[in-house]
Amino acid sequence: MSTKNEAKPDKISDKQLLRASRSFEAMMLSQIDISAKLANDLKHAIRIGMVVLALIAISILVLLLTLSSQINRISDVVLDTNTNFSSVTVRMDHMSQYIDSMAKRVALLQLMDEQTTSMKNEISDITSSMTTMRKTIV
């Protein structure tokens, strides 16, 4: 076994080393450029995302303020309606008292009507008696 037959590494020339180092440098610069472009794209995407989130937050704030003002309006209307119902209740109580008073007066009118009818009959009897008396006297 001789060592002559074993493969000897070929000597690498300076030109090959220079070309390899330039290729490596070009690949590294290309990778750095790609990384920079990806970083810029990521920054832009993050900025756009933040702008979109800010717009969403602003629209939610506007919606909340609108809902708050509408709830305040509804609350005011409900309070006003409540006040009106209280006023209507008081007026209905007064009307109920007036109706009770009128019912009592109508009941008295019925009694007065009966008495008036009785009085008319008596006056009619008195008139006929007086007519008879006149005839008798004349």
Side-chain angles (χ1 to χ4, degrees):
M1 296 198 206
S2 68
T3 56
K4 287 184 181 179
N5 290 342
E6 289 180 18
K8 290 185 182 178
D10 293 331
K11 272 191 163 180
I12 300 175
S13 68
D14 287 342
K15 286 184 179 180
Q16 289 176 331
L17 281 174
L18 185 62
R19 194 171 69 201
S21 69
R22 284 184 184 161
S23 294
F24 180 74
E25 182 183 8
M27 285 190 303
M28 291 304 291
L29 289 175
S30 174
Q31 191 174 15
I32 290 171
D33 284 343
I34 290 172
S35 294
K37 286 180 183 178
L38 287 174
N40 285 336
D41 289 346
L42 182 63
K43 279 191 239 177
H44 291 305
I46 289 172
R47 286 180 184 155
I48 289 172
M50 289 177 67
V51 168
V52 168
L53 287 176
L55 289 174
I56 290 171
I58 289 170
S59 64
I60 289 173
L61 178 65
V62 168
L63 284 173
L64 286 175
L65 291 174
T66 304
L67 286 174
S68 175
S69 70
Q70 292 300 323
I71 287 173
N72 287 338
R73 284 183 184 173
I74 290 170
S75 177
D76 291 341
V77 168
V78 167
L79 289 174
D80 188 41
T81 303
N82 215 9
T83 303
N84 290 338
F85 276 134
S86 298
S87 174
V88 167
T89 302
V90 168
R91 288 181 183 172
M92 287 179 69
D93 286 341
H94 286 276
M95 290 298 293
S96 177
Q97 291 172 357
Y98 292 142
I99 289 172
D100 288 343
S101 173
M102 285 175 61
K104 289 177 185 174
R105 289 178 183 169
V106 167
L108 290 174
L109 283 175
Q110 186 178 6
L111 290 174
M112 287 175 68
D113 186 46
E114 291 173 3
Q115 288 179 357
T116 304
T117 306
S118 172
M119 288 173 72
K120 282 182 183 178
N121 289 336
E122 288 177 13
I123 289 176
S124 175
D125 288 343
I126 291 173
T127 306
S128 68
S129 293
M130 285 181 69
T131 306
T132 307
M133 287 171 76
R134 278 187 195 155
K135 287 179 185 177
T136 313
I137 295 177
V138 175

